[in-house]
Amino acid sequence: MRFFIATDHAGVAIKPSIIEMLVEMGHEVTDLGPKDANRVDYPDFAHKLCYEVLANDGSQGILICGTGIGMSLAANKHKGIRAALCHDAYTAIMARAHNNANVLCFGERVVGLGVVQSILEGWCKTNFEGGRHAQRVEKIEI
Ligand code: RB5
């Protein structure tokens, strides 16, 4: 899988570990910033990532801020982006299986590295189930 990843200042510390986990799992990861912990506005990085995911067929995104909330709110403004704020493996698995989510959001101030590892594993091993879920996902866009 090709992943794009972006954070704000409140998600930048955990980012290297996330990239390492994904690369170890065999994925390709492009880091869209920021490079340091200077304060930035999370919507700027959410929008930057969404444009890349939409421009690169089949790619997915990972957005991290303090809570994951701001990132998910901003990302879901993009038609074609289904950003899911996940707190554990179960929500990550269901976001893929039932919602066909293509952007994973979480909060650095909410989850620790062990939980993040299980979120990533759950997300990456799960495909969209389609079927009855497909028509529901289609109805999300207005
Ligand atoms: C930054 O302090 C914080 O507000 C941001 O990272 C995020 O949690 C917003 O949703």
Side-chain angles (χ1 to χ4, degrees):
M1 177 62 62
R2 179 165 189 204
F3 280 102
F4 293 94
I5 189 167
T7 73
D8 70 356
H9 53 283
V12 78
I14 205 173
K15 186 167 57 174
S17 304
I18 309 305
I19 294 173
E20 200 180 309
M21 286 177 194
L22 289 166
V23 169
E24 261 179 33
M25 291 163 70
H27 302 293
E28 183 192 334
V29 189
T30 304
D31 182 0
L32 299 176
K35 296 270 176 253
D36 55 42
N38 290 325
R39 280 209 180 104
V40 292
D41 297 333
Y42 57 81
D44 294 337
F45 286 87
H47 296 320
K48 186 177 178 182
L49 179 135
C50 290
Y51 289 128
E52 290 297 337
V53 169
L54 291 169
N56 289 274
D57 259 5
S59 68
Q60 296 184 351
I62 297 181
L63 288 170
I64 311 164
C65 60
T67 59
I69 296 171
M71 285 295 200
S72 57
L73 291 174
N76 278 314
K77 293 294 179 187
H78 292 256
K79 192 175 169 64
I81 293 293
R82 291 171 300 280
L85 174 56
C86 298
H87 298 299
D88 47 37
Y90 180 73
T91 47
I93 289 167
M94 296 310 285
R96 290 288 305 125
H98 285 192
N99 309 114
N100 201 16
N102 53 7
V103 173
L104 166 64
C105 304
F106 58 85
E108 181 186 291
R109 297 171 180 166
V110 181
V111 290
L113 276 179
V115 172
V116 170
Q117 174 91 44
S118 66
I119 287 174
L120 293 177
E121 286 170 1
W123 179 277
C124 292
K125 75 174 186 196
T126 309
N127 292 316
F128 181 46
E129 286 177 12
R132 69 185 188 280
H133 302 294
Q135 78 181 48
R136 294 169 184 164
V137 168
E138 274 167 32
K139 285 183 175 183
I140 292 172
E141 302 276 3
I142 53 170

